[in-house]
Amino acid sequence: MKVISQLKPAQDIVYTDKHILWDTTTVDTYNIDSEIAQNTFDVNIAYVNSGHTIKKLSTDGLILLDTRLDVLEECEWRLDTLHDCILLEFFIGEDAIGDLLPEGKGKTVMGFHNLSYINSINKTYTLQKNAALDSFFVFLSKPFYYELIGKTNRVQDAFARHVELGLNLELSESYLPMNFDIINIINEVRSCTRKGSFHRLCLEIKLLQLLLLQFEQAHNMAKEVKPRQLLHETDINNIKNARIILEEHYNDPPTIKQLSYMVGVNEFKLKNGFKTLFNSTIHGYVLKLRMDKANQLVKEQHLQVKEVAMELGYKSPSHFSAAFKKHFGFLPTEMAG
């Protein structure tokens, strides 16, 4: 399991500070004897109030990011995972990201949370100017998650089936409101002073409690909501074939209509199924393929912008440069230099 977290200013703000970026990798296995590694990262950049630290805990099958910042200018916070995992996502308060739950606007709320199973994630949050970010994210591998709550039981129901089949799913379609019980558990994790195996055992107990509260709240709030339908196995295989086609022809990708015909799935099911399976639109997936290849060509092979644009199938170098800057936040020529 690999998690990359990046904080950078909005594109229209120029700072000489390097973007905050940390990269954490753990093995996916569950190992009860694997102790918790704890690190803190000092935040010293112009667009974030000084004196803050970001805390990170990791062990086999688990990564925890505890981020509390006072944001001075509008920023973008990006999270990327390169493998499938279960994500427990908590925002305390509503200052920094106040539009996660539309119903919460204009009301006093304690925060928002959700639980997701994701094949991979490229998620960007916009942090508002002069606001406080208080977030608590836990990434669990499948083996770690199963050790905590098992593979099947009535508590997790449809969520467990999606995890077992490898299908993306959010416990709730919109973020759930935070409550005192959840906040208290998060604070207990934050203030825990136990060491070694006792620290690990305490953390596992608290994570199981958080999962219980998330499932319980989602169940109580969704009694009148119709359950979402699983994709059939044939649909899944056809949509996976669509991804293979895109990966082989990212420089000249077929249209959605053409791709639909090629894999034998109607356009509606293809678009929605692709989003469910891979947590990305078809257009977004092709763009990421192109930008990853562009990064490699510019960085490793030192090709000129014109050459890269032609290699990736862009009509002109200016179109490629604009797409590159929108994706990475800087021009390919700036990276090459």
Side-chain angles (χ1 to χ4, degrees):
M1 184 167 59
K2 184 181 181 72
V3 176
I4 302 170
S5 183
Q6 183 177 15
L7 181 69
K8 63 180 183 179
Q11 292 185 11
D12 58 342
I13 301 175
V14 178
Y15 286 106
T16 57
D17 308 67
K18 293 182 178 179
H19 304 330
I20 295 178
L21 176 65
W22 62 100
D23 183 332
T24 305
T25 303
T26 67
V27 297
D28 284 347
T29 56
Y30 176 87
N31 179 6
I32 196 169
D33 294 321
S34 172
E35 294 192 359
I36 295 173
Q38 180 171 313
N39 305 96
T40 57
F41 182 87
D42 292 321
V43 181
N44 295 303
I45 51 177
Y47 47 90
V48 174
N49 207 1
S50 61
H52 285 271
T53 58
I54 298 169
K55 187 176 180 180
K56 177 180 67 179
L57 302 179
S58 61
T59 188
D60 291 357
L62 178 148
I63 297 171
L64 188 156
L65 295 178
D66 186 358
T67 306
R68 285 177 281 185
L69 303 171
D70 288 335
V71 180
L72 302 178
E73 298 290 348
E74 184 176 309
C75 302
E76 291 183 353
W77 181 32
R78 176 166 173 164
L79 283 174
D80 297 276
T81 66
L82 306 185
H83 305 283
D84 68 334
C85 65
I86 290 86
L87 170 61
L88 288 74
E89 186 179 9
F90 303 95
F91 290 97
I92 301 173
E94 61 171 338
D95 286 347
I97 311 177
D99 59 350
L100 290 179
L101 190 67
E103 303 94 295
K105 289 186 175 180
K107 300 179 181 179
T108 301
V109 295
M110 290 182 283
F112 315 114
H113 69 94
N114 211 342
L115 175 69
S116 307
Y117 170 72
I118 45 181
N119 297 122
S120 63
I121 184 174
N122 305 105
K123 201 166 188 177
T124 299
Y125 305 92
T126 299
L127 308 184
Q128 304 300 317
K129 180 177 180 180
N130 296 324
L133 170 66
D134 188 350
S135 68
F136 186 87
F137 280 19
V138 182
F139 302 83
L140 300 175
S141 68
K142 274 187 181 181
F144 201 114
Y145 175 78
Y146 288 148
E147 190 67 30
L148 286 178
I149 202 167
K151 287 190 175 182
T152 56
N153 57 55
R154 293 181 180 179
V155 171
Q156 44 182 339
D157 197 21
F159 188 83
R161 294 200 301 274
H162 277 69
V163 173
E164 186 66 20
L165 291 172
L167 303 177
N168 287 303
L169 181 69
E170 293 178 331
L171 182 63
S172 173
E173 292 184 357
S174 60
Y175 283 77
L176 298 165
M178 194 77 80
N179 58 44
F180 283 115
D181 290 335
I182 292 176
I183 292 175
N184 286 339
I185 294 173
I186 290 173
N187 287 335
E188 287 173 0
V189 174
R190 285 173 164 174
S191 61
C192 181
T193 58
R194 292 181 172 87
K195 304 296 182 183
S197 298
F198 295 102
H199 185 193
R200 180 192 175 92
L201 179 59
C202 178
L203 179 59
E204 289 193 21
I205 292 171
K206 298 305 177 186
L207 291 179
L208 182 57
Q209 289 177 321
L210 287 173
L211 286 169
L212 163 66
L213 292 172
Q214 289 189 292
F215 281 122
E216 183 179 47
Q217 186 180 13
H219 174 76
N220 291 338
M221 295 182 69
K223 287 180 179 178
E224 298 180 2
V225 177
K226 294 182 179 179
R228 283 170 280 181
Q229 297 296 315
L230 286 170
L231 290 167
H232 295 296
E233 185 175 353
T234 302
D235 296 329
I236 294 171
N237 291 333
N238 290 337
I239 294 169
K240 285 182 177 179
N241 288 335
R243 181 176 67 167
I244 293 172
I245 292 171
L246 295 175
E247 289 172 346
E248 293 176 346
H249 303 281
Y250 61 86
N251 59 338
D252 186 21
T255 65
I256 292 178
K257 185 175 182 178
Q258 291 169 335
L259 188 61
S260 170
Y261 178 79
M262 292 167 73
V263 298
V265 178
N266 69 61
E267 293 182 42
F268 178 82
K269 184 176 287 186
L270 175 62
K271 290 189 289 186
N272 286 276
F274 197 95
K275 177 70 173 176
T276 297
L277 284 173
F278 308 119
N279 200 37
S280 172
T281 63
I282 293 174
H283 172 76
Y285 191 78
V286 171
L287 177 62
K288 185 177 186 302
L289 290 172
R290 281 178 154 181
M291 291 300 104
D292 287 346
K293 184 64 176 179
N295 183 54
Q296 178 187 350
L297 293 173
V298 175
K299 191 175 182 180
E300 298 178 9
Q301 298 186 27
H302 307 291
L303 296 184
Q304 298 296 315
V305 171
K306 183 178 180 180
E307 296 173 298
V308 178
M310 291 180 62
E311 176 76 16
L312 298 180
Y314 281 90
K315 294 180 179 179
S316 69
S318 61
H319 286 164
F320 162 65
S321 294
F324 191 96
K325 183 173 183 180
K326 185 176 181 180
H327 186 79
F328 290 110
F330 48 85
L331 292 169
T333 52
E334 294 172 336
M335 183 179 72

